[in-house]
Amino acid sequence: MTLQLLVAAMNREPRGLAEEMGIDSDAIIVSQGGQYAYEELQWKGHSIRYYSMAERGVGLSRNHSLLRAEAEISLFADEDIVYEPDYARKVLDAFEEHPGADLLFFNVQAMPGRETYCNREFGRVRWYNSGRYPTYSLAVRTRRVHQKNITFSLLFGGGARYSAGEDSLFIRDCLKAGLRAYKMPVSIGHERERESTWFTGYNDKFFYDRGVLYHYLYGGMARPMALRFLLSHREEMCREIPWRKAYGKMCRGIARAED
């Protein structure tokens, strides 16, 4: 089996980024916010294809790399992920051990305060427990995603109209298309500390945008799922905005998306 790392970056050149991330596999890097350019280079015996583009939006960046992916397995990445030396072998071994899996979620240690999940055992991922996973934890069978014509939303995520959620929508679309997803208790890297390109705190926009996202994710179940989300995370997220007010903001976003 073959693997490509699909990297979404901002204003980065390929060699320095490959060194920082510990890239040790074939890769496609899409760097936004710069001049249009294309380069092919060899790195540690692997092929890296580098695209620089002026447009912004993480969904657009991920689509550019996904639609160009040729390896059997595509592993999504952000520029602030540092990979363990044997990450590629771990991912490929996992797919070989689980031939029925179309999507596998791996452990990538997030910065303190940004943790949303930790896989302690192998298990199935369903619609109701898929929202906790970031894109950089995900590897997919490329052909299966291409067959189902699944891409990332251009409305959500860094650089888009709504601040985050392109990952949850992509996973939701994969599950709706019948692809099978599983979580793996296997660590492949960690997140390097840097300033977020989209997160500015648990403010009005955060909760409003989350409400819009929940409409697309859950439809008629958006409001109870929003309440469940806030009650589960109120100690962390509702220190400045009380959870009742935050729920109102989310409901306003849901109502706006329903119009």
Side-chain angles (χ1 to χ4, degrees):
M1 298 178 71
T2 56
L3 179 145
Q4 280 177 314
L5 196 64
L6 308 185
V7 185
M10 282 287 295
N11 289 312
R12 298 301 306 266
E13 59 86 23
R15 292 168 181 80
L17 183 58
E19 183 70 37
E20 286 181 14
M21 295 179 64
I23 292 178
D24 195 11
S25 66
D26 289 354
I28 299 175
I29 298 174
V30 178
S31 178
Q32 298 186 329
Q35 300 292 324
Y36 290 104
Y38 173 72
E39 182 180 355
E40 295 183 8
L41 61 145
Q42 293 297 308
W43 180 262
K44 296 183 178 179
H46 302 288
S47 173
I48 294 180
R49 289 151 56 195
Y50 170 79
Y51 298 84
S52 176
M53 53 190 293
E55 296 88 353
R56 297 193 180 191
V58 68
L60 180 63
S61 176
R62 296 202 195 283
N63 286 340
H64 269 285
S65 60
L66 177 60
L67 296 176
R68 290 168 171 79
E70 298 171 342
E72 294 170 81
I73 304 301
S74 293
L75 174 61
F76 294 104
D78 289 343
E79 65 177 273
D80 55 355
I81 304 302
V82 180
Y83 287 94
E84 297 179 5
D86 55 351
Y87 72 91
R89 177 44 51 198
K90 287 181 176 180
V91 172
L92 292 175
D93 284 349
F95 276 97
E96 289 175 354
E97 291 170 8
H98 303 285
D102 301 305
L103 290 73
L104 289 178
F105 295 93
F106 296 87
N107 284 328
V108 177
Q109 180 61 49
M111 291 186 299
R114 285 169 51 91
E115 305 95 334
T116 60
Y117 78 103
C118 180
N119 300 327
R120 292 185 171 86
E121 59 185 6
F122 176 80
R124 190 78 178 262
V125 174
R126 307 283 189 176
W127 69 270
Y128 51 81
N129 65 350
S130 65
R132 69 190 68 179
Y133 293 104
T135 311
Y136 58 72
S137 69
L138 174 61
V140 303
R141 293 190 191 272
T142 310
R143 182 178 62 85
R144 293 286 286 150
V145 174
H146 286 172
Q147 283 177 333
K148 299 296 184 178
N149 196 30
I150 301 169
T151 57
F152 286 87
S153 171
L154 303 184
L155 275 178
F156 294 87
R161 180 175 182 178
Y162 302 111
S163 54
E166 84 292 343
D167 42 10
S168 298
L169 289 167
F170 179 83
I171 296 164
R172 187 278 314 268
D173 289 346
C174 288
L175 296 176
K176 285 181 66 175
L179 301 187
R180 289 163 295 184
Y182 298 86
K183 57 182 180 178
M184 296 292 302
V186 175
S187 176
I188 60 172
H190 67 273
E191 186 181 26
R192 177 172 49 84
E193 186 171 358
R194 70 175 178 121
E195 185 176 351
S196 174
T197 57
W198 68 269
F199 182 71
T200 57
Y202 298 113
N203 51 27
D204 289 351
K205 178 173 172 55
F206 174 87
F207 293 113
Y208 179 86
D209 288 0
R210 178 71 54 159
V212 176
L213 172 65
Y214 271 39
H215 164 74
Y216 287 100
L217 279 176
Y218 304 119
M221 289 290 293
R223 287 173 176 81
M225 292 298 286
L227 184 59
R228 174 178 176 268
F229 168 76
L230 287 171
L231 293 178
S232 298
H233 300 284
R234 58 182 174 180
E235 290 187 6
E236 174 192 355
M237 296 184 177
C238 299
R239 295 173 182 170
E240 297 184 9
I241 298 179
W243 74 265
R244 293 180 185 274
K245 182 179 179 182
Y247 180 63
K249 295 291 182 182
M250 290 189 70
C251 288
R252 193 171 302 172
I254 293 169
R256 177 67 181 88
E258 291 173 340
D259 289 344

